[in-house]
Amino acid sequence: MSIDTAGRRFRRLLYGSITIVSVVAAVLVVANFSHGPELQSAQINVNTAVERSGQRLLLQANEPLDPSAADTLTVSPAAATTATVDGDTIDVQFTGILSYNTRYTVTVPEVRSVAAGSASTISYTFTTANPTTYFLSPATGSPGSQVSDAVLAAPVGGGAPTPVYQAPRIRQFVALGDTLVVDTVNDDATDALTIVSLTGGAPIVVNLAGAGTITSLKANPASKLFGYTFTPQQSAHYEAQPDQLYVYDITRGNDYSIPITGTDFEVLTAKDWMFIPGTTSLVAQTEGSDLVLVDTLGERDGTSGPAPIGHADELLGFVPTTKTLITADAGSRVATDFGQTANPSSAFPTVAGDIGSAAAVVNAGGTTLQIQDSGSGPGTAVAKVDASGSSIIFALDTPESAGHAVTSVCVAPNGLYAAVTTDAQHITYVDLSNGTALGTVDGRDPNWCASR
């Protein structure tokens, strides 16, 4: 074969290869333009989405997107969002808190790449967390039935309750993540306080200030603190002050309780008290209804003491997901935001109904829950009350509930649900947006109420 013939053959092969590569590239470009952008990955924390507002869903496509994609986004069921496009990612921010155990679909139609071409629809579906709640199930005493009191766990959205701790004569308990603090009654009618790990750790018996009873027990899960008021057993030798306030830091393991002192430097007798959510501080109401602010760790270290902050007839509770405490005083409601230092107090919006009948605070807009009378008798309904009026979200109106009444109501940490307890020892979880009952369990003292 001559050199010229070989050269001509090489050139034919080279040009043919270039043509094939060009055709393949063209096909890929046409395919890309005809299909439009596609979803490559998505990220969202389904646990924090039901706890706090402002959570983000990141939708990443396979190519840079035209910014107009953010304008057509929808969510089903409806949820308020803001959206922006950054390169190949659509950043979706939920402005509110999402519902428990709910399947959400985010759809973005008419999505185009920055290189134009065909439009496509990007869609992503996720299901939010169904958190576990805890409640107390007293022993029934009947043959073959539960012989000890038990703390049970169950998902809010339904599911069979399971016992996580059992003991004779449980008076009350609180839950802090994977830890329970359980108040039990001894044979001599005094109380014992035990820290119980739900992950297999050894229990810790809290050293109380002698023999006596626990009169309140509350938890601050985010700060790993619990607190209690303690009334010593009466003695012929000294006068025992009731409702003495103590706090315990579970991060320190087997430790001593922190005595909370008043302005007189004595252990504070608390008429009522509440942790400021997400902090190591608390607000206590004295016997004279004065209010003091206390940094509990400052009390332990001796670096700070109680600070007087006013007066209140009643502590109504903190607005869910905030550090805003609502109090009632002289016929008015006052909101104090401990998350800010300038002008922390303001008037709470006026709502219909008796000021003293508010059982729980729902939001900063003035909405509260009240136990009311209904056609079935006194204390047989729970109403959601705001400036525009009230609406019943729960009522004992069945033949089976005749003769029973609502004993307590409290709001979920995210402010979207309520736990209603009756004297028949039934707890019903209610969606506050529409009054839908998510489920009912046999028991009392749901852990949602333990932070009030």
Side-chain angles (χ1 to χ4, degrees), residues 168-433:
R169 299 187 298 275
I170 297 176
R171 189 191 299 276
Q172 56 192 322
F173 79 98
V174 292
L176 298 95
D178 56 6
T179 301
L180 300 179
V181 182
V182 185
D183 172 20
T184 55
V185 181
N186 299 317
D187 291 339
D188 62 358
T190 61
D191 283 16
L193 202 56
T194 306
I195 302 171
V196 179
S197 170
L198 298 180
T199 58
I204 297 173
V205 177
V206 177
N207 291 314
L208 302 177
T213 56
I214 305 295
T215 49
S216 74
L217 179 63
K218 300 179 183 181
N220 191 354
S223 300
K224 303 297 184 183
L225 299 173
F226 71 87
Y228 59 93
T229 48
F230 176 75
T231 297
Q233 201 170 49
Q234 293 300 315
S235 170
H237 303 289
Y238 59 87
E239 181 180 0
Q241 295 298 318
D243 303 321
Q244 299 172 0
L245 182 56
Y246 294 85
V247 168
Y248 196 104
D249 180 357
I250 68 170
T251 66
R252 294 168 66 90
N254 195 343
D255 197 16
Y256 292 100
S257 298
I258 306 167
I260 304 302
T261 59
T263 54
D264 58 0
F265 305 106
E266 298 292 335
V267 179
L268 181 67
T269 291
K271 182 179 178 181
D272 197 2
W273 67 279
M274 295 179 183
F275 283 115
I276 300 175
T279 75
T280 60
S281 297
L282 60 82
V283 175
Q285 182 187 32
T286 69
E287 290 179 293
S289 294
D290 293 323
L291 301 182
V292 292
L293 174 65
V294 180
D295 176 9
T296 61
L297 301 191
E299 282 274 288
R300 181 182 66 200
D301 301 337
T303 56
S304 66
I309 56 171
H311 181 279
D313 295 331
E314 184 180 2
L315 307 184
L316 298 180
F318 280 87
V319 176
T321 75
T322 77
K323 295 177 176 60
T324 299
L325 174 65
I326 310 302
T327 58
D329 190 47
S332 298
R333 288 179 181 160
V334 176
T336 303
D337 183 359
F338 291 98
Q340 63 181 36
T341 55
N343 300 318
S345 296
S346 62
F348 195 56
T350 302
V351 298
D354 177 14
I355 245 323
S357 64
V361 175
V362 176
N363 58 45
T367 304
T368 60
L369 298 181
Q370 296 182 6
I371 299 174
Q372 296 185 348
D373 299 345
S374 70
S376 301
T380 54
V382 176
K384 185 167 66 172
V385 182
D386 57 28
S388 63
S390 66
S391 59
I392 300 295
I393 58 131
F394 175 85
L396 292 171
D397 52 8
T398 63
E400 294 80 8
S401 61
H404 292 290
V406 175
T407 56
S408 69
V409 58
C410 55
V411 178
N414 67 4
L416 301 184
Y417 305 88
V420 181
T421 305
T422 70
D423 59 6
Q425 306 229 24
H426 295 154
I427 305 168
T428 300
Y429 296 99
V430 180
D431 187 332
L432 290 177
S433 67

Side-chain angles (χ1 to χ4, degrees), residues 59-72:
L59 301 172
Q60 185 175 19
N62 62 340
E63 56 185 314
L65 303 177
D66 187 285
S68 63
D71 301 333
T72 58

